[in-house]
Amino acid sequence: MEKDLDIKIPAQEVYDESKIKHLEDVDHIRLRPGMYIGKLGNGEKKDDGIYVLLKEIVDNAIDEFTMGHGKTIKITVDESSASVRDYGRGIPFGKLIQVVSVLNTGAKYDDAVFKKSVGLNGVGAKATNALSDEFYAESFRNGKSFFARFSKGKLIESGEKDTTEKNGTLIRFTPDPLLFVDYKFRVEYVEEMVKNYSYLKKGLTLNLNGVSYKSENGLLDLVNDSLNEEPIYQPIHFSSEDIEIVITHGRSYGENIASFVNGQNTRDGGTHLAAFREGVAKCLKTFFKNNYKKDFAPEDIRQGIIGAISIQVQEPIFESQVKTKLGSPYLWQKDIENEDGTHSLDKGPSIRTFVCDFIGHELDNYLHINKEVVPVLMEKIIESEEQRKEIQSIQKQSRERNKKAATYNPKLRDCMYHFNEKTPKGKEEFAETSSIFITEGDSASGTITQARNANYQAVFSLRGKPINCIKESAKRVAGNDELNYLISALGVENETDNLRYNNIVVATDADDDGMHIRMLIVSFFLKYYPELIRRGHVHILQTPLFRVKTKKEVRYCYNQEEKEQAIKELGNNTETTRFKGLGEISANEFSEFIGEKMRLDNVKISDEENIKNLLEFYMGDNTIDRQNFIRKNLRTEEELGGVDF
């Protein structure tokens, strides 16, 4: 007999005119900041909201330069605030308040004024204003200035005065600490942004905190300055109206291509990057087939490629307000009103055709003229082809040994995010937060599996320590079942563009073995999938070392200082527990650490660092240099706050 279920049906809520609400622009931005700047954050990551706020203001200054007004932009940043001064035309006084506070207001809807700018939605400066505790805007025009001061998007005061300042605009802001909790601007992230602007805007001088940045050779300077290995041939540089590219190859695994649209760094690529990859592969495939009877696969041609592409698009379409991925299929498109009142779409050339044709023509000519590059390039492609075929053969054998892996991954506890294939809304909702935790052992894996949010958090369980891919051959790495299961779980067997989760989180114990496993996993990504790290997908999970509790309150502490502060605040009648491993933390407790309060350290590598040398030093043979480094930097557990004495 079926048991009756006690289901409480909520009372029907009245839906009438009183339920319809209208939010002012400022209120909507502050209520839903993610719609305008992506995530908030505290400044520890390059894509945190405070950098988006700054970038929106700098973009406006860049657009002035692009239109031929002003050759210098001064940027000043300290830990809590930033200012941007351009020397363009200055915002018309009568519209300054609207331009920085009312959505969908600006000059960029007029193609005659701003033909190819980044900010086209009339949103950027308004979002910065609304999300700032203090926001000051001043326009200088012909010996007069008009200023407006705001707080949290609300106008405080405004006025006009005489000035001796040169024409242009000054914006100064302090992000709201109520939204960006414990935030801090990191100058190194701002410096990277400024350098990219200088490479993309030849002739523009950007001054950051008194240091000037200017490029004479555009993207060629960017590639040369960021090379972390010796290229096998000198970078090839082409430019024309609306497009600039640089191409070379190195010995490293994977691809390293920077992409930009109208000066915007499109970290996640888009239609222009896809066209660049296709154009290079198509051109070289045709060249070697016609001239050397060699039929190379595109993936072998692109293996080890280093390059950059920048294009100009009229009214670009990005896939989000933070503009990290281009969605535009055409260089330009306009809505045309016909004589009969109907509308039609006037489309320019497709970005794919434009980029592929440009690369095909320029690169083919270059190879016919610079014939010394051809044998070097062909040797590299053949080497990549041989390596790929060997690895594929080994992986095939591995899959045959584990036939279940084709339909079932025994190491993976997946999330519902990947079972919503027919519900795009569900996938879109969790796209940014989708995560996979890489854990060590069944105990930790079981704890995290119980504690996770199964909608968007998956768990992958390692058995013991992965092999050291720096000391082992590519052949042995390719035949490792554990790593093959991991690659399959991530979905990067063919291309990293197919990554199944936005966040790869390495979750290991805070002991020697845990640290070693962490290094082995990160080394694997650095060697074989460096673009996952360059794009900010790989993280280390911070887990608490201590639990300090009284009868009324529990606090989790991540270091010795936090523990001592908790004891001081809670009093001496506390019980302190030192966690030695993830398996010791209960599932109920763990849910505290992998939800909204989750602490993640983003794995980063600077453009100046040579990945190969870095891995050889830390993970290769034990050399005298490494021994001396360890002795010099050795710290006891007591110094690190790991153990009570």
Side-chain angles (χ1 to χ4, degrees), residues 399-417:
R399 281 193 292 270
E400 288 175 352
R401 289 197 310 270
N402 304 281
K403 289 185 178 180
K404 285 186 177 180
T407 55
Y408 169 67
N409 191 326
K411 315 295 290 183
L412 177 67
R413 303 293 179 269
D414 215 340
C415 55
M416 292 304 296
Y417 171 74

Side-chain angles (χ1 to χ4, degrees), residues 8-252:
K8 294 183 179 180
I9 301 175
Q12 293 295 314
E13 194 170 334
V14 176
Y15 176 57
D16 57 19
E17 288 83 353
S18 67
K19 302 301 181 184
I20 307 299
K21 306 292 184 184
H22 171 73
L23 292 177
E24 297 296 330
D25 293 347
V26 168
D27 297 325
H28 190 269
I29 294 172
R30 291 181 64 82
L31 181 66
R32 298 282 186 266
M35 290 179 59
Y36 300 90
I37 66 166
K39 61 181 179 178
L40 292 173
N42 63 2
E44 291 184 354
K45 300 177 183 177
K46 294 179 183 179
D47 59 348
D48 279 351
I50 60 173
Y51 304 112
V52 178
L53 300 185
L54 175 58
K55 188 184 167 306
E56 293 288 0
I57 304 302
V58 177
D59 281 345
N60 292 335
I62 293 288
D63 289 339
E64 277 291 293
F65 167 78
T66 301
M67 296 304 297
H69 305 283
K71 295 183 178 180
T72 301
I73 298 172
K74 290 184 179 179
I75 303 167
T76 304
V77 175
D78 59 29
E79 288 190 352
S80 61
S81 62
S83 68
V84 179
R85 170 71 158 100
D86 70 47
Y87 294 87
R89 293 160 292 183
I91 300 170
F93 292 172
K95 291 293 184 181
L96 183 140
I97 293 175
Q98 282 183 273
V99 164
V100 299
S101 64
V102 180
L103 287 180
N104 306 317
T105 303
K108 296 176 185 178
Y109 302 107
D110 181 359
D111 289 349
V113 181
F114 291 93
K115 293 182 179 178
K116 293 164 185 167
S117 64
V118 175
L120 288 168
N121 298 321
V123 171
K126 292 80 169 174
T128 303
N129 185 355
L131 301 176
S132 292
D133 189 43
E134 296 179 5
F135 183 93
Y136 178 84
E138 186 170 6
S139 175
F140 308 96
R141 300 188 75 162
N142 306 319
K144 297 282 186 181
S145 82
F146 184 85
F147 73 91
R149 192 184 309 276
F150 300 79
S151 178
K152 299 176 175 60
K154 304 292 186 180
L155 181 65
I156 303 299
E157 63 171 328
S158 64
E160 187 174 331
K161 56 187 178 181
D162 294 330
T163 184
T164 58
E165 286 274 353
K166 293 181 179 179
N167 287 1
T169 302
L170 168 67
I171 302 290
R172 184 170 58 247
F173 69 95
T174 301
D176 188 347
L178 296 177
L179 298 172
F180 305 93
V181 180
D182 296 328
Y183 77 88
K184 181 174 71 173
F185 280 105
R186 296 180 183 270
V187 176
E188 62 267 29
Y189 293 165
V190 181
E191 181 184 29
E192 181 182 335
M193 178 178 72
V194 168
K195 281 184 177 180
N196 283 338
Y197 278 126
S198 71
Y199 296 133
L200 295 162
K201 299 295 179 181
K202 288 181 283 188
L204 172 64
T205 298
L206 296 111
N207 186 291
L208 172 62
N209 291 353
V211 179
S212 293
Y213 299 86
K214 186 178 182 179
S215 172
E216 300 295 340
N217 301 301
L219 288 188
L220 183 60
D221 286 341
L222 182 151
V223 171
N224 282 327
D225 290 350
S226 61
L227 281 171
N228 52 39
E229 63 174 309
E230 191 69 27
I232 63 174
Y233 57 89
Q234 286 300 307
I236 303 168
H237 184 205
F238 303 128
S239 64
S240 184
E241 184 179 2
D242 294 336
I243 186 169
E244 181 180 6
I245 66 167
V246 177
I247 305 167
T248 187
H249 279 78
R251 298 288 179 189
S252 295

Side-chain angles (χ1 to χ4, degrees), residues 306-317:
I306 301 167
I309 176 171
S310 173
I311 67 171
Q312 302 295 313
V313 177
Q314 191 165 316
E315 298 193 13
I317 301 169

